[in-house]
Amino acid sequence: MGRIEVKDLHFSYNKGEEILKGINLSFDKESTAIIGQNGAGKTTFVKLLKGLLKPDTGDILILGKNTKETTAAELAKYVGLVFQNPNDQIFKNKVLDEVMFGPLNIGQDHEEAEENSIKALEMVGCKDIYNKNPYDLSLSERKLISIASIIAMKPEIIIFDEPTIAQDYVRREKIKAIIKNLTENGKLVLTIIHDMDFVAESFERVIVFQNGKVLMDGHTKEVYSHADILNSAYLEPPHITQLCNKLGYKDTFLTVEEFIESKQSLRQK
Amino acid sequence: MKKIVVENLKYKYPLTDKLALDGVSFEVNEGEFIGIIGQNLAGKSTLCQSLVGLVPHFYRGAYGGKVLIDGKEVLKSDISELALKVGMVFQNPFTQVTGAKLTVYEEIAFGLENMGLSRNEMIDRIDYALSLLDIYKYKDRNPFDLSGGQMQRMAIAGIIAMKPEIIVLDEPTSQLDPQGSEEVFKAIQALSHEGMTVIMVEHKIEKIARYSDRVMLMHQGKIIDFDTPKKVFSRGDLKEYGVLAPAFTRICRAFDIKDEEGFYPVTLDEAYDAVVKING
Amino acid sequence: MKAITLYVPKDTFIYKVDPITKLFYILTVILIPIIAPMQFVAYVLIAISLLIILSGGIFKKVLPIISFSAIILVTVVIIQGLFKIDNKTAVLSIGPLTFYKEGLNYAFEICARVLNILFAFSILVLTTKPSDLIESLVRKGLSPKIGYVLNSVLQIIPEMTATMGTITDAQRARGLETEGKLSTRIKAFFPLIGPVVMNSLIATRERAMALEVRGFNSKNKKTFLNEEFKSPYSRVFRICLILITILTIFWRILS
C-alpha cells in the first residue's frame, strides 16, 4: 500500500457542480507533479490530501489514516503543504521563530524544534538570516522561509503549491535542489504546477488532471511523449521536447542537458 | 517615433540606501514589444513603475534623470494624466480588483468611468477587451469569484479597455496554464502590431524570446544589454546575471549551430530551421 | 462570494423607483411625525409603508427585520407600562405586575415611530442595490472617493473573510488547532491575525497603486457605465412628497 491512497474521490463545493469526479490514485515514493488547466481541480485535490477539505464520497488514506477521521492539524505531522503565497503564514518577527512554529505545534520539544529548524534553514540556504525579521526579506526569500518551516516539521509527505511562480533562474535552481534533496531522503514530494520545463527537470511522475478527472498518469517521459493529449488538456510538452518532436526524433527528451549528452555520445561513436 | 525616452534615470526608495535604478537610459519606438529580463530585485518592477509615474509620485524617494512618455515628462505629470497614455498591469491579480464593483463587466468599466467616456463608448471597449482576453463568458460574475488565472486576464482587460498607447505588464501570466499564457501573449502581440507599445517583464524566457522585438537585460539597477533577442540570448555571460537562455538557444549553443549573422536561434522555429539546414 | 447586502432582486413597481426618491420618502416619513406629533399620523404612515411593502412583494423579507426589533420594542412596552414615572391609571394586572395607561401610551408612541422609520428604511434597503444607491449619490455630487470607500466596505469585508480562510488553512497545515476549546481558539489568534493584518496592509498599498493607474484621481468629469436610474414618475413622486410635507407644516401652524 502507498503512503497516500485515494479511492473513488468525489468532491463539490456547491451541489450539482462536481469539482472532482472519481479520482483513484496511489502515491508512494516517486516525486510527482500534478499538472492541468486552470480550474481542473488540482488545488482542491491538494486541500483534500491535506485534510483541509473532506471528501463527499470516497476516501483518502494518509499513511493508513483516513482524512475524514482526523483534523488538518493532526495530519500536519505527516503531510506538509507549502502555500503559494508565503505572506499567508508568516507572523513571527524572527525567521527562526517562524520556522519553529510548526515543529512546536506538532509536539517537538524546544531543543528538537530548534535543531530541525536550523537544519531546514540550512537546506534552503537561509541559515545565515535566521535572526532577521521575515518582513525585511524579499518575497522570494520569504518563500524559502515558508518552505523551511514545513521541512522542519519533518513530514513524510511534502506538497508544494506552484513553487516556481515569480522565481528567477537562481531561485528556481535552488527549489529544484531542495526537491531533489527531499526525494533522496525518502520523502514523498508532490506539487501542483504550470511550469512544464521545471516538471521535466525535477519530477519522476506526472499526473494530468482535466475537468476533475485523471487524464494521464505515468513516468514523466511517458506522459510528455503524448503531445496530442497534453494539448487537448490545454498544456504543452517542455520546450526541448517540442523541438525534438518537431525534428521527428522518436525518443522523448526531457531536459536540454539530457539531449546534449545523448547526441554528443552518439557523435563520439 | 520615440514613444519612451529615459535619460540617466536614478532612483532610490525612501528608507533604503541602495539605488534601485542606477543610471538607466534607453529609448523605445512606437509599436515595439520590449521584454525585460533579469534576476529578482534587478530593478525590473521599479523601472516599470517609473514609466507610469508611481515612481516617484506614489513612493516619493530620491529621483534623478528624466523619463519622457510621448514627450511628456513623468516627474512633472500626475499619475492620472499619465494613465491616459500608459497603462500598467501588476503581478498580483488579486489586489488589482477594485473591490467596488459587483460584476466583471462593471469592473472593467472602472477606468473608463474615471476617464469620463460616454456610455456607448464604454460598452464597445469593454466588449472588445473581454473578448480579446477570452473572458466574455464571465462578464456577470463577481470579480472575486474568479480563479487566479481568470483574474489575471481581467486585470489585463481592465487596462486594455482604456486603450493606452503604451502598456506595461509586470509578469502578467504567472497564474495561467501554458496555453492560457500563450493566448495572452498572442493577444498582446496583436495589440503591439496595431501600434500599441508593449513593455513586459517575464521570467518565461522562451516566450520573451519569441514575442519581443527587443530584450532588455537588467542587473542591479542597471541595463546590461538592450538588443534583439538573438543578440541578447547569444551572450555567453547570461548566467552571471541570473538568467538562463531559452532551451532552444542552449541546445544550439552546445552544437554550435548559428545563423548567418553568427547568432544562436532563440525560438522553436528558428532552432528547427537551423538544425534542418545543417543536416541538409 | 457575496457582498454584504439585504437586497433581493425582484420585479415589482417599487424596484423601478430610483434610490433618491426612496431617500425622499424616508425623509418625509421621518419629518411628518415630528411636525405633526399626533399618534394617528404615525399609524397612517405605517399603513402606507406596509401597503408599499405588501404590494412590492417584499413582506417576507421585512418580517425578520421586524421580529428582530420586536424583541427590543416588547421590552420598551413592558418597562414603560410598568415603571414610567407618571404612571397613574392602571389598566391591566397580571399577578403582581400592573400595567398603566400612561406608560403604555408612551410606549406605543415610541413603537409607532420606530416601526415607521424601520419600514421606510426596509423599503430602501430591500429593493435597492447598495451600489446603485451610492452611484446615485455620486451623481448628485457625493465625492467619488467616498463612494468608492462605501462600496468597497461592502465588498472587501467578505473578501477579507476569504483571505482569513486561506490563512487559517495555512496555519492548520502547520499543525495549529483552530477549532474546539476557547483556550485553543485564543492561542490561535495571533498566528491568524498577524498575516491578516500584514496581508491587508500589503493589499491596500498594491490596490491603491492599481487604482491610481486606472485614473482614480483623474480630474476628468466621471461618467457612469450604468444608465441613470430614471423612472417617469420619480419627479411626480418627489414633488408629491415635498408638497405633503409642506401641507403638514401649514396644517400644523393653522390648527
Side-chain angles (χ1 to χ4, degrees):
Chain A
M1 203 173 87
R3 291 190 205 175
I4 304 180
E5 293 289 335
V6 180
K7 292 174 192 159
D8 194 30
L9 169 67
H10 288 260
F11 182 83
S12 53
Y13 291 100
N14 305 313
K15 277 244 149 54
E17 235 185 289
E18 213 169 49
I19 307 289
L20 297 175
K21 306 164 183 165
I23 308 261
N24 286 292
L25 286 169
S26 171
F27 300 90
D28 195 30
K29 279 195 195 114
E30 279 176 311
S31 58
T32 305
I34 300 170
I35 59 175
Q37 196 188 358
N38 288 122
K42 305 179 301 273
T43 307
T44 307
F45 180 64
V46 161
K47 284 190 175 174
L48 282 154
L49 290 186
K50 194 68 192 70
L52 295 167
L53 299 170
K54 308 285 173 184
D56 290 346
T57 60
D59 291 294
I60 299 173
L61 303 177
I62 305 285
L63 303 173
K65 283 176 252 326
N66 195 319
T67 60
K68 280 178 186 165
E69 287 145 23
T70 45
T71 67
E74 277 168 36
L75 273 177
K77 273 181 220 164
Y78 316 105
V79 195
L81 171 59
V82 180
F83 276 64
Q84 210 182 99
N85 185 354
N87 294 338
D88 286 341
Q89 67 160 69
I90 290 178
F91 72 102
K92 298 274 190 188
N93 41 28
K94 211 175 110 183
V95 167
L96 184 62
D97 291 345
E98 179 66 36
V99 179
M100 283 172 64
F101 174 74
L104 290 173
N105 268 335
I106 57 165
Q108 294 181 12
D109 64 41
H110 195 274
E111 221 170 292
E112 194 187 353
E114 191 169 303
E115 195 191 316
N116 286 332
S117 299
I118 299 266
K119 267 192 202 154
L121 282 168
E122 197 167 3
M123 184 169 163
V124 303
C126 290
K127 195 184 161 200
D128 45 332
I129 52 170
Y130 78 96
N131 222 348
K132 286 202 174 171
N133 188 326
Y135 287 109
D136 293 337
L137 304 174
S138 71
L139 187 67
S140 48
E141 281 171 314
R142 287 206 290 269
K143 180 98 185 181
L144 293 176
I145 302 298
S146 71
I147 295 175
S149 72
I150 299 299
I151 294 175
M153 295 165 72
K154 304 195 112 189
E156 285 282 284
I157 302 154
I158 297 188
I159 308 173
F160 291 88
D161 181 359
E162 292 286 357
T164 57
I165 272 194
Q167 302 291 329
D168 60 22
Y169 163 64
V170 181
R171 300 278 180 217
R172 233 169 135 257
E173 291 298 304
K174 181 86 236 172
I175 293 169
K176 198 197 284 181
I178 294 170
I179 290 172
K180 193 161 169 250
N181 189 330
L182 289 169
T183 312
E184 281 169 4
N185 281 313
K187 309 279 184 193
L188 167 59
V189 179
L190 300 181
T191 189
I192 46 179
I193 189 164
H194 285 315
D195 187 335
M196 300 297 132
D197 286 23
F198 189 80
V199 170
E201 291 159 17
S202 314
F203 289 88
E204 299 158 282
R205 176 184 173 194
V206 174
I207 297 171
V208 182
F209 268 45
Q210 193 183 29
N211 293 327
K213 286 185 180 153
V214 174
L215 181 67
M216 261 199 293
D217 176 7
H219 287 294
T220 308
K221 197 161 264 191
E222 164 69 19
V223 170
Y224 278 147
S225 68
H226 297 286
D228 44 340
I229 304 181
L230 288 171
N231 283 327
S232 75
Y234 295 91
L235 301 168
E236 58 187 25
H239 293 103
I240 175 67
T241 320
Q242 289 177 31
L243 179 62
C244 294
N245 287 347
K246 192 159 182 172
L247 288 169
Y249 289 111
K250 292 233 163 53
D251 294 341
T252 302
F253 293 97
L254 293 178
T255 66
V256 171
E257 291 70 28
E258 184 192 4
F259 179 77
I260 294 171
E261 254 172 53
S262 103
K263 291 291 140 190
Q264 276 169 346
S265 63
L266 258 180
R267 279 189 184 179
Q268 278 156 11
K269 280 175 200 167
Chain B
M1 209 198 108
K2 300 282 176 240
K3 210 65 185 170
I4 303 174
V5 178
V6 177
E7 286 169 16
N8 195 25
L9 177 62
K10 290 187 180 181
Y11 178 69
K12 191 165 74 66
Y13 285 100
L15 308 175
T16 58
D17 43 35
K18 231 182 115 205
L19 284 174
L21 293 175
D22 188 0
V24 171
S25 301
F26 66 95
E27 291 178 352
V28 176
N29 296 319
E30 185 170 356
E32 268 193 296
F33 191 131
I34 306 293
I36 304 184
I37 57 168
Q39 240 174 319
N40 289 348
L41 308 178
K44 305 182 302 275
S45 295
T46 311
L47 181 62
C48 287
Q49 297 184 357
S50 75
L51 299 177
V52 298
L54 289 169
V55 165
H57 298 301
F58 187 84
Y59 290 99
R60 314 280 168 203
Y63 187 90
K66 217 186 227 181
V67 179
L68 297 172
I69 299 293
D70 209 13
K72 224 181 172 107
E73 192 176 347
V74 166
L75 190 61
K76 294 173 185 155
S77 318
D78 288 343
I79 299 177
S80 59
E81 236 175 284
L82 288 164
L84 299 175
K85 286 196 175 294
V86 43
M88 173 154 182
V89 180
F90 298 82
Q91 275 173 19
N92 184 348
F94 205 72
T95 52
Q96 289 176 76
V97 181
T98 61
K101 301 288 184 179
L102 293 168
T103 66
V104 170
Y105 205 83
E106 293 174 357
E107 178 71 29
I108 306 290
F110 181 82
L112 311 182
E113 293 180 327
N114 293 333
M115 288 168 79
L117 296 181
S118 73
R119 200 178 113 77
N120 288 335
E121 176 76 24
M122 273 193 233
I123 291 171
D124 284 350
R125 288 187 179 200
I126 298 169
D127 287 347
Y128 168 74
L130 287 175
S131 325
L132 185 75
L133 273 302
D134 196 24
I135 45 171
Y136 193 83
K137 49 187 173 289
Y138 306 124
K139 73 182 171 75
D140 296 321
R141 288 244 195 125
N142 184 309
F144 284 117
D145 283 341
L146 300 182
S147 72
Q150 292 159 351
M151 258 190 211
Q152 217 152 21
R153 288 170 188 254
M154 179 176 75
I156 300 170
I159 296 296
I160 300 283
M162 293 172 75
K163 291 200 177 159
E165 293 160 41
I166 302 164
I167 185 166
V168 181
L169 306 112
D170 194 350
E171 285 187 62
T173 66
S174 58
Q175 307 274 342
L176 288 162
D177 54 53
Q179 285 190 17
S181 54
E182 182 71 20
E183 280 167 30
V184 166
F185 267 87
K186 281 200 174 122
I188 289 170
Q189 189 186 40
L191 292 170
S192 107
H193 287 165
E194 284 167 24
M196 194 182 279
T197 308
V198 178
I199 309 285
M200 183 182 306
V201 172
E202 218 2 294
H203 286 305
K204 291 175 181 158
I205 215 76
E206 283 81 7
K207 295 252 187 294
I208 286 290
R210 170 147 179 220
Y211 289 99
S212 313
D213 297 317
R214 284 194 290 161
V215 174
M216 181 184 291
L217 170 62
M218 292 190 72
H219 190 64
Q220 295 184 340
K222 293 191 170 80
I223 294 180
I224 304 299
D225 204 347
F226 186 27
D227 217 318
T228 58
K230 267 186 196 170
K231 285 190 188 164
V232 173
F233 292 126
S234 290
R235 288 174 72 107
D237 58 354
L238 282 178
K239 278 196 181 170
E240 286 169 34
Y241 304 112
V243 172
L244 192 65
F248 314 117
T249 316
R250 282 181 281 147
I251 289 204
C252 292
R253 178 183 287 278
F255 299 108
D256 204 30
I257 301 171
K258 290 182 182 169
D259 64 7
E260 299 90 35
E261 297 163 73
F263 298 112
Y264 298 114
V266 295
T267 66
L268 175 62
D269 291 337
E270 284 171 15
Y272 174 78
D273 291 345
V275 173
V276 168
K277 209 175 215 173
I278 282 182
N279 294 344
Chain C
M1 197 188 60
K2 276 217 152 123
I4 304 171
T5 171
L6 292 170
Y7 172 73
V8 266
K10 257 194 181 166
D11 194 28
T12 56
F13 81 97
I14 188 69
Y15 285 82
K16 298 190 182 82
V17 178
D18 66 289
I20 301 289
T21 306
K22 287 177 199 160
L23 279 178
F24 264 78
Y25 179 73
I26 293 178
L27 206 66
T28 314
V29 157
I30 293 174
L31 273 177
I32 289 183
I34 297 172
I35 303 166
M38 296 76 154
Q39 213 151 349
F40 81 93
V41 174
Y43 294 139
V44 169
L45 291 173
I46 290 176
I48 295 172
S49 291
L50 209 56
L51 214 66
I52 297 175
I53 288 169
L54 283 170
S55 58
I58 48 169
F59 185 67
K60 268 192 193 151
K61 297 286 166 187
V62 176
L63 274 181
I65 302 175
I66 300 302
S67 41
F68 178 73
S69 48
I71 304 166
I72 301 162
L73 294 179
V74 167
T75 343
V76 171
V77 170
I78 292 172
I79 291 176
Q80 297 293 346
L82 294 176
F83 308 118
K84 193 167 187 300
I85 297 170
D86 50 2
N87 273 349
K88 278 186 206 121
T89 335
V91 275
L92 178 70
S93 294
I94 308 165
L97 302 173
T98 312
F99 286 90
Y100 294 90
K101 192 181 164 199
E102 290 78 11
L104 286 178
N105 268 340
Y106 182 64
F108 286 139
E109 209 173 294
I110 294 176
C111 290
R113 290 209 177 169
V114 171
L115 280 179
N116 180 27
I117 295 171
L118 220 55
F119 277 141
F121 269 103
S122 303
I123 294 174
L124 173 75
V125 169
L126 292 173
T127 65
T128 315
K129 257 203 277 180
S131 56
D132 286 347
L133 173 64
I134 295 163
E135 196 168 298
S136 305
L137 292 172
V138 172
R139 276 180 212 271
K140 291 280 171 239
L142 180 76
S143 139
K145 281 186 194 162
I146 295 176
Y148 172 80
V149 171
L150 292 175
N151 263 325
S152 63
V153 165
L154 298 169
Q155 277 257 356
I156 285 186
I157 289 173
E159 185 230 303
M160 271 179 76
T161 326
T163 315
M164 188 85 186
T166 315
I167 290 164
T168 311
D169 279 355
Q171 304 301 40
R172 282 165 72 203
R174 294 205 291 165
L176 180 75
E177 288 284 1
T178 56
E179 286 152 25
K181 284 184 301 190
L182 184 67
S183 59
T184 321
R185 283 166 194 258
I186 292 173
K187 250 170 75 188
F189 182 71
F190 281 104
L192 295 182
I193 208 70
V196 169
V197 170
M198 244 0 253
N199 259 344
S200 42
L201 285 178
I202 295 171
T204 307
R205 200 186 67 163
E206 287 182 4
R207 185 163 283 124
M209 290 199 280
L211 293 178
E212 286 276 355
V213 300
R214 285 169 83 184
F216 188 48
N217 280 316
S218 166
K219 289 174 201 105
N220 287 342
K221 193 168 160 31
K222 193 173 149 63
T223 49
F224 300 89
L225 169 68
N226 299 321
E227 270 172 324
E228 191 168 0
F229 213 139
K230 274 185 190 150
S231 49
Y233 311 112
S234 284
R235 251 216 144 117
V236 185
F237 272 136
R238 288 184 205 172
I239 293 172
C240 285
L241 289 168
I242 296 170
L243 273 178
I244 292 170
T245 316
I246 295 171
L247 283 176
T248 319
I249 296 173
F250 274 118
W251 174 69
R252 175 79 178 145
I253 295 169
L254 297 177
S255 64

